[in-house]
Amino acid sequence: MPESLRGGVIGAGVFGGYHANQYARLPGVVLSGVYDVHPDRAARVAMPLGGRGFADLAEFLDAVDVVTVASPATFHAEHALAALAAGKSVYVEKPIATSVADGERVRAVAAAKGLIVACGHQERVQSRAMGLLDIPEQPLRLEALRHGPPSDRSRDVSAILDLMIHDIDLALAISAADPVTAEGEGRLSDDGVWDIARAEVSFEDGFTALFDVSRQAAARNRAMKIVYPSGEVEIDFVARTLRNTTPFALNANYADTPAGRDPLGASVEGFLMAVRGEAPRPIVNAEEAIRALDLALAIEQALAE
């Protein structure tokens, strides 16, 4: 393992820029390059950070040791598989793919080659900083609301795969049970994707999760309530506040921790630690990302029906 890993980013959009900055600032890694089908965009992201813009994917993959896939979601699996085939561990922005079959291909290739796959479900980072994932009680109900104003970002997938999947992953992380049914309703945009959706999922132990997302809201609103037998936890992800009536200690000042201040940085750092063998696994691995994708697609199917 080299002293400094050469980091590369596929995709020169907004999130590609965020990831390029992480590789440029984190210890033990340098930003080597950014690949994009628009080479001028790749250069604009890479060059101020000491990297190089690439228009050729194979040439880019030769110049890096680890890869972040931050291209549009419909290309996540294709780009992750290309990086894995070149022997590079990958951090894939969520969703890991747009079909379970493609997600399984990513997982299988990585396993066969002994490479790391991480996925960018960053609410896991904040939840861990709160101590939420350490509560020993099984939850009774989760209610998650995630609304934002219209944006041109992630228009290739629905609000379920763009927004709701964050809360789906967290629901799966805090519950020991498996989901069994999903019901929902939503509104399609003019381009035929779900922009507004509300879904309720029942789990085999009676736990229920209500997910409410919108990409057509007047303002940003991201909140969650989790009901336990002994009390409730309420989180406002915009105000970054937490209310806890359970007997279990949680960190109400999570926003002041390094992970709370920069969940993306903590997530990428966890990936790099797993690549170096300093951690047994990334914060969210391929299997967990596929499980979240599977439930998200089941919710899309329930809306369609």
Side-chain angles (χ1 to χ4, degrees):
M1 189 68 64
E3 185 172 331
S4 282
L5 293 168
R6 298 173 301 164
V9 178
I10 297 178
V14 172
F15 261 82
Y18 293 158
H19 280 280
N21 273 280
Q22 295 295 342
Y23 283 145
R25 73 166 194 85
L26 287 170
V29 64
V30 296
L31 178 70
S32 180
V34 176
Y35 164 79
D36 196 276
V37 292
H38 302 284
D40 55 331
R41 295 182 190 173
R44 280 200 299 268
V45 171
M47 290 179 66
L49 300 172
R52 176 185 165 197
F54 287 84
D56 182 88
L57 182 58
E59 187 180 1
F60 161 81
L61 291 171
D62 282 341
V64 301
D65 300 312
V66 293
V67 173
T68 285
V69 176
S71 50
T74 47
F75 293 96
H76 282 184
E78 175 185 331
H79 287 149
L81 288 167
L84 292 167
K88 319 298 179 179
S89 289
V90 293
Y91 180 111
V92 188
E93 263 303 336
K94 55 78 196 165
I96 190 170
T98 53
S99 74
V100 170
D102 280 346
E104 288 289 0
R105 289 187 191 97
V106 171
R107 184 200 60 76
V109 171
K113 288 180 169 285
L115 297 170
I116 299 295
V117 174
C119 194
H121 291 282
Q122 292 149 36
E123 298 298 9
R124 277 286 193 104
V125 176
Q126 297 198 77
S127 301
R128 190 168 67 174
M130 294 172 201
L132 191 63
L133 302 182
D134 298 323
I135 289 181
E137 226 172 40
Q138 285 300 295
L140 301 174
R141 183 168 174 82
L142 176 147
E143 297 175 1
L145 184 145
R146 191 174 290 262
H147 289 185
S151 168
D152 292 335
R153 186 185 62 80
S154 299
R155 294 305 307 173
D156 58 328
V157 293
S158 71
I160 293 98
L161 291 185
D162 176 26
L163 301 178
M164 189 185 290
I165 198 164
H166 281 299
D167 300 316
I168 290 170
D169 172 69
L170 189 54
L172 293 169
I174 65 172
S175 173
D178 290 325
V180 289
T181 63
E183 298 178 348
E185 59 184 7
R187 185 186 306 168
L188 289 168
S189 66
D190 291 340
D191 49 353
V193 296
W194 299 105
D195 259 358
I196 298 173
R198 184 179 174 89
E200 183 156 332
V201 177
S202 299
F203 287 66
E204 60 188 5
D205 65 349
F207 170 55
T208 57
L210 176 68
F211 306 109
D212 185 333
V213 296
S214 173
R215 295 194 294 201
Q216 296 295 330
R220 189 166 173 258
N221 187 359
R222 296 182 178 177
M224 180 176 290
K225 180 169 78 171
I226 309 172
V227 180
Y228 294 90
S230 63
E232 299 180 356
V233 176
E234 290 189 71
I235 307 158
D236 184 326
F237 288 105
V238 177
R240 298 168 74 76
T241 58
L242 181 152
R243 185 182 73 86
N244 175 26
T245 65
T246 75
F248 309 109
L250 295 179
N251 183 7
N253 298 315
Y254 75 95
D256 296 327
T257 66
R261 287 191 295 269
D262 184 10
L264 176 61
S267 182
V268 174
E269 189 169 24
F271 163 62
L272 295 173
M273 290 176 67
V275 171
R276 295 190 196 101
E278 299 166 1
R281 46 158 290 166
I283 292 171
V284 178
N285 63 23
E287 183 178 354
E288 292 164 323
I290 292 165
R291 194 166 177 240
L293 173 63
D294 191 22
L295 182 50
L297 294 174
I299 289 170
E300 283 195 338
Q301 183 63 33
L303 264 63
E305 292 173 353

